[in-house]
Amino acid sequence: MEIIHVSAECYPVAKAGGLGDVVGALPKYQRQLGHVAKVVMPMYRTKFLLANEWDVVHKGYTHLGNWWFNYTVIKEKTNKLGFDLYLVDINGVLDREKVYGYDDDIERFVAFQVSVADWLVAWKHRPDIVHVHDHQAALIPFFFKYCHAYQSLADIPTVLTIHNAQYQGWMGWDKSTYIPAYDTWKTGMLGWGNAINSLGSGIKCAWKVTTVSPTYLEEMRSNANGLEALLEYEKGKCSGILNGIDNLVWDPSTDGYFEDHFTIETVEEGKRKNKELLCQRFQLDPKKPLITFIGRLVGEKGADLLPQAIEDSFYYVGRRMNFLILGSGFPDVEGRLNAMKGLSRGDYNVYIGYDEALSHLMYAGADYILMPSRVEPCGLNQLYALRYGTIPVVRNTGGLHDTVLDYGDKNGYGIRFNHASVGDMTHGIWRAVEMYQQSEKVKEIRQHIMQLDFSWESSVKSYMQLYESIK
Ligand code: ADP
């Protein structure tokens, strides 16, 4: 079967979060099963672009409303990632350093999708499935079904995966001219809640819709940033498929980002060495448990609760642990976390920014990873942490509910708390510190969690079954 993935991110080409990890891994595992998987994404100005060689495969000319533009599709020459990788270049629009965060993001990603559809028509090539990811690619099912110029693609089955329903690609109806000419009586298939809603349109028009964990799918029926009723209405075509992790990239015995590799047999020594490195670099105390947070410093991740929960932990649990935070996001949260460095007695530090190498070292050297998420569609951090023998302390929601069992329960190994509140998080931290005193228990849990299988091998089969059902 041939699948074309369309996405704004794909690791290691460009990644801002879990979407990049998933789109970098899923096609690779589909190839391993003998299928043909391709990825199409925007051409940003990234290291990966400059470090590799490319063939031009198509040049086209299309438009967004009155604005006509040239686009070029290039393909990586050597199939380095294990699948065909195509980048769409729109001069001055997509070729920027960051993936998101520009005032014209709407125009950028609609122009990207229009170019993809335009190219597929010109290519006269018929994949079995077009799999679109998140709102930056979610207008494509509408384009295929209802835009006059793309009618030759109308019978290609489309799948939309929602990695995060918080962001939906909203635009006012004044921007409807961006949508290539369509049957106006189908306008309703574009909108939701008085605006064009790219993700909402994708949910209406894609042949199948998936979310990245079964529990998130359930939760979205009551909490999906305004899309609840739509998801309830479309529930017949929705399913939840848990993300996997790329065991080739995320392997503590071979990880290219740090030197002190370890296996299940050497986990104690390996984690100790990596922890010492981290503690030295961030002036922390290696004798105390190291509790980390890695991620976007936004409300969704419960990052705003961190400063108070850390202060309360120091006050109520005592200065019996270290905290190390890696992330960037809301300036207010960044500022508060930075200011707290003044309170450190060699037991707190924060690195504001995005640093792939540091994140790998933290998974390897930490004792615990904290995830107080308000919303967590799947969550990859806890899966990486498990593979690296780091015990997750998580809020019981979405994918965290599906992947972390509390160590107080049968076969459990992590720490779960129910509310995204300072009190519940502090209690979770207290439990982690208490657990750490029982070194034999910690050893046993580390060995157990490193053996848990959250690889793509099983999830990829669920996607293949889904494709089969609509092919
Ligand atoms: P998201 O909602 O942000 O996509 P996920 O848990 O699905 O959350 O994926 C987060 C991914 O991004 C993980 O690979 C994590 O290690 C990485 N990540 C997040 N923030 C940072 C950062 N500041 N530096 C390095 N890696 C980060």
Side-chain angles (χ1 to χ4, degrees):
M1 195 185 302
E2 180 180 332
I3 310 112
I4 296 188
H5 294 272
V6 186
S7 166
E9 299 178 37
C10 172
Y11 177 84
V13 192
K15 163 179 165 183
L19 170 64
D21 285 335
V22 172
V23 178
L26 176 58
K28 210 154 65 181
Y29 287 82
Q30 290 176 330
R31 289 296 288 245
Q32 278 182 10
L33 289 182
H35 302 285
V36 177
K38 303 177 168 166
V39 171
V40 187
M41 65 182 294
M43 191 200 86
Y44 310 109
R45 211 179 313 132
T46 61
K47 275 193 205 146
F48 190 92
L49 174 71
L50 303 175
N52 290 284
E53 293 193 25
W54 304 87
D55 285 323
V56 171
V57 294
H58 180 70
K59 277 178 180 286
Y61 186 58
T62 185
H63 67 106
L64 204 62
N66 293 329
W67 171 56
W68 283 82
F69 62 89
N70 290 300
Y71 69 93
T72 306
V73 183
I74 58 175
K75 178 169 178 279
E76 196 271 315
K77 273 189 172 177
T78 61
N79 210 313
K80 185 175 192 172
L81 301 183
F83 49 82
D84 289 344
L85 171 69
Y86 297 90
L87 306 185
V88 176
D89 176 24
I90 305 174
N91 220 328
V93 176
L94 293 175
D95 56 335
R96 306 196 189 146
E97 274 164 25
K98 284 192 298 173
V99 177
Y100 317 112
Y102 300 99
D103 289 345
D104 59 349
D105 276 356
I106 282 292
E107 285 74 13
R108 294 172 74 222
F109 290 109
V110 180
F112 163 64
Q113 295 175 82
V114 170
S115 306
V116 172
D118 194 77
W119 167 48
L120 290 179
V121 169
W123 193 3
K124 296 196 173 63
H125 174 76
R126 197 188 181 287
D128 295 300
I129 300 283
V130 170
H131 188 157
V132 301
H133 298 265
D134 271 353
H135 77 82
Q136 298 88 356
L139 286 171
I140 286 181
F142 178 90
F143 289 0
F144 284 14
K145 272 193 164 160
Y146 303 119
C147 293
H148 303 148
Y150 313 131
Q151 280 311 290
S152 59
L153 309 172
D155 63 343
I156 300 180
T158 51
V159 174
L160 164 70
T161 292
I162 304 174
H163 298 256
N164 192 337
Q166 296 303 108
Y167 308 96
Q168 299 171 5
W170 305 270
M171 12 178 175
W173 283 106
D174 54 320
K175 298 201 167 161
S176 62
T177 54
Y178 291 173
I179 310 296
Y182 57 96
D183 293 331
T184 42
W185 57 280
K186 285 293 176 190
T187 299
M189 301 305 269
L190 281 173
W192 188 254
N194 220 10
I196 296 177
N197 184 313
S198 305
L199 195 67
S201 169
I203 295 168
K204 292 178 188 182
C205 299
W207 295 31
K208 291 280 178 190
V209 176
T210 69
T211 63
V212 289
S213 71
T215 297
Y216 183 53
L217 179 61
E218 279 310 307
E219 288 176 357
M220 279 165 78
R221 295 207 183 120
S222 56
N223 179 14
N225 208 6
L227 293 175
E228 300 79 7
L230 177 58
L231 285 157
E232 180 60 32
Y233 182 73
E234 296 285 6
K235 67 182 172 196
K237 66 175 176 187
C238 297
S239 55
I241 302 177
L242 197 65
N243 281 337
I245 63 173
D246 189 342
N247 277 342
L248 304 168
V249 175
W250 295 92
D251 181 349
S253 68
T254 55
D255 194 311
Y257 288 107
F258 59 87
E259 282 174 9
D260 291 308
H261 294 140
F262 56 91
T263 58
I264 295 176
E265 286 73 37
T266 57
V267 52
E268 293 303 315
E269 195 194 340
K271 287 192 77 69
R272 183 177 52 72
K273 286 187 183 159
N274 288 303
K275 181 176 174 183
E276 274 167 10
L277 263 181
L278 278 173
C279 288
Q280 214 175 12
R281 176 164 163 196
F282 290 99
Q283 299 93 46
L284 302 170
D285 181 352
K287 291 195 281 305
K288 294 176 181 170
L290 177 56
I291 303 176
T292 53
F293 174 96
I294 300 170
R296 292 180 291 122
L297 299 175
V298 297
E300 243 181 290
K301 299 282 177 193
D304 51 307
L305 303 171
L306 282 170
Q308 194 60 50
I310 292 171
E311 273 191 44
D312 282 10
S313 299
F314 281 150
Y315 189 78
Y316 294 111
V317 185
R319 303 201 79 122
R320 298 160 63 203
M321 72 303 264
N322 299 289
F323 290 99
L324 179 59
I325 316 290
L326 165 63
S328 60
F330 286 162
D332 171 49
V333 179
E334 290 182 358
R336 283 164 67 202
L337 289 169
N338 255 333
M340 282 175 57
K341 283 185 190 172
L343 299 176
S344 175
R345 295 188 208 152
D347 48 15
Y348 170 82
N349 215 329
V350 57
Y351 180 97
I352 300 293
Y354 189 95
D355 188 329
E356 190 75 27
L358 177 57
S359 75
H360 283 243
L361 184 62
M362 285 172 67
Y363 290 117
D367 297 299
Y368 296 98
I369 187 151
L370 198 52
M371 298 181 74
S373 309
R374 289 195 174 82
V375 183
E376 195 56 85
C378 174
L380 291 169
N381 298 19
Q382 81 281 12
L383 303 182
Y384 300 142
L386 291 167
R387 186 143 164 78
Y388 284 57
T390 298
I391 301 168
V393 182
V394 304
R395 173 157 180 254
N396 188 11
T397 187
L400 298 171
H401 172 84
D402 293 336
T403 55
V404 179
L405 299 181
D406 192 278
Y407 87 112
D409 294 333
K410 194 168 169 229
N411 299 329
Y413 42 82
I415 293 174
R416 297 212 304 207
F417 52 90
N418 282 330
H419 302 287
S421 68
V422 167
D424 267 27
M425 196 189 332
T426 308
H427 186 253
I429 292 169
W430 171 75
R431 289 185 67 206
V433 173
E434 289 299 308
M435 181 206 271
Y436 193 75
Q437 310 309 314
Q438 309 165 49
S439 55
E440 284 309 311
K441 180 79 191 163
V442 172
K443 260 187 214 168
E444 193 187 302
I445 291 181
R446 280 181 183 156
Q447 296 194 348
H448 175 65
I449 60 183
M450 284 182 75
Q451 293 177 67
L452 294 172
D453 181 12
F454 288 109
S455 64
W456 270 108
E457 268 94 13
S458 60
S459 305
V460 78
K461 288 187 192 130
S462 308
Y463 278 110
M464 298 320 300
Q465 279 163 7
L466 183 83
Y467 300 155
E468 282 296 341
S469 72
I470 49 173
K471 192 174 79 136

